[in-house]
Amino acid sequence: MTSQRVDAAAAGTWMLGDRKVNRIGFGAMRLTGSAAFHQGIPRDRGQAIDTLRRAVEIGVNHIDTAAFYFSRLRSANELINSALAPYADDLVIATKVGPARDAGGEWTTSARPDQLRGQVEENMRQLGRDHLDLVNLRLMGQDSISEHFGALADLRDAGLVRDLGISGAHPEHLAQAQEIAPVVCVQNRYGVDASGGKDMLRACAERGIAFVPFFSIAGQGRESGAVRAEHDEVQAVARAHGVSPAQVRLAWMLQQGSHVLVIPGTGNPEHLVDNVAAGTLRLTEEEVQLLDSVGRSVS
């Protein structure tokens, strides 16, 4: 835990579409419980709301969420609405569509192109918005995304969505999407111990598109909330700087390129501040190379 005054702007900024955001944002998935979705212990509602408000206070202006981020008693979108509405003009709320869960929390068949409007409107209702800032199409294993992305492009043209992105994608999907409408970001799994997606990292850099990694802190724990042993290399760098391993992971991620936007998630205000403090941590070239070796050893 850091005692220094933190500001999300310390990591720099990026133009997400025509909106300037700080490169350290916030992922809302963990707000709903100790593990993602319907497993785990429900998060204390007051603490979750305090975390969201604290995030905005320290400069976070890019929040990632989805209507399917809910547990038995908590909905990420509802918490965001309760905590932050009326929304600040500079706040960008990104949502995802494609996957679907029933009222009991079980995963169901992902949305067809003609069902995406309903998912967009559900996010709008939950967030209390008359349009969505950014909608990411979360791929569910399909080879072609043209029909799905085309449906979202129609919603963009209709004014329901401002900007579009894709998630869980490969470079060929990015090419398909760009033939239909502008793509402002790609959300893919990436991190110290999950660095197999460098092709998309590079593709985004070449095109001036934001790359938004998820599970950049969670690593192998991922959405299950599992506790995993931290890699020795990460621990060593953390000790050298007197910071948390989470800060080291985030700093490494931010140093992968100026187009990288991180969205670490937590329901704990103290962890939030620690994560945002990673924006001031600068790793040496030797430290970056040491952390690079983790990805090679687990790939």
Side-chain angles (χ1 to χ4, degrees):
M1 166 52 58
T2 180
S3 60
Q4 68 186 38
R5 185 178 183 277
V6 301
D7 187 338
T13 61
W14 181 263
M15 293 301 297
L16 195 55
D18 61 355
R19 311 281 296 279
K20 182 185 290 188
V21 298
N22 293 325
R23 291 180 61 211
I24 294 187
F26 179 82
M29 187 177 73
R30 297 284 181 196
L31 287 176
T32 62
S34 59
F37 311 123
H38 59 289
Q39 299 90 6
I41 300 170
R43 182 78 63 185
D44 178 81
R45 177 179 170 80
Q47 185 182 60
I49 287 176
D50 288 346
T51 301
L52 284 162
R53 290 175 175 165
R54 182 64 174 140
V56 172
E57 287 173 2
I58 60 177
V60 170
N61 57 7
H62 172 211
I63 294 177
D64 176 76
T65 186
F68 54 84
Y69 287 175
F70 67 88
S71 61
R72 288 186 295 270
L73 299 177
R74 301 285 180 264
S75 157
N77 281 353
E78 187 275 328
L79 289 166
I80 292 168
N81 191 350
S82 296
L84 302 179
Y87 301 104
D89 290 341
D90 68 341
L91 179 63
V92 174
I93 299 178
T95 59
K96 282 179 290 298
V97 295
R101 297 171 68 200
D102 62 24
E106 297 301 318
W107 292 103
T108 63
T109 304
S110 57
R112 301 187 308 267
D114 63 321
Q115 295 174 318
L116 292 176
R117 183 179 183 120
Q119 290 193 339
V120 165
E121 290 176 344
E122 179 64 15
N123 278 283
M124 290 167 59
R125 282 192 295 271
Q126 292 177 0
L127 291 166
R129 307 293 299 268
D130 58 7
H131 75 281
L132 297 177
D133 297 323
L134 168 59
V135 172
N136 289 294
L137 174 65
R138 180 70 166 94
L139 276 70
M140 301 299 289
Q142 61 264 50
D143 292 328
S144 173
I145 64 170
S146 296
E147 287 189 43
H148 285 79
F149 200 77
L152 290 181
D154 290 342
L155 298 180
R156 176 179 177 269
D157 293 342
L160 274 69
V161 178
R162 185 170 184 144
D163 288 306
L164 298 174
I166 54 178
S167 177
H170 297 293
E172 58 266 28
H173 297 127
L174 178 56
Q176 292 168 11
Q178 286 190 295
E179 290 180 357
I180 297 167
V183 177
V184 304
C185 70
V186 173
Q187 274 194 6
N188 274 15
R189 187 184 176 209
Y190 196 79
V192 166
D193 45 10
S195 58
K198 281 187 178 293
D199 52 349
M200 186 61 91
L201 178 75
R202 288 190 293 264
C204 288
E206 292 166 359
R207 293 165 173 80
I209 294 172
F211 182 80
V212 186
F214 55 80
F215 298 143
S216 54
I217 291 180
Q220 298 302 319
R222 303 179 65 182
E223 71 270 17
S224 67
V227 176
R228 47 123 176 91
E230 184 55 271
H231 297 285
D232 291 343
E233 295 88 346
V234 177
Q235 294 278 26
V237 176
R239 286 193 298 270
H241 288 272
V243 300
S244 68
Q247 284 192 40
V248 171
R249 284 173 169 268
L250 291 169
W252 177 88
M253 193 69 257
L254 288 167
Q255 287 183 222
Q256 300 301 300
S258 61
H259 65 305
V260 175
L261 311 179
V262 297
I263 48 171
T266 181
N268 183 309
E270 292 186 355
H271 292 167
L272 163 75
V273 172
D274 187 70
N275 290 342
V276 173
T280 62
L281 177 59
R282 300 292 181 265
L283 305 178
T284 66
E285 183 177 344
E286 291 76 14
E287 288 170 336
V288 170
Q289 291 175 355
L290 176 64
L291 295 169
D292 287 347
S293 71
V294 174
R296 292 193 295 269
S297 67
V298 300
S299 60

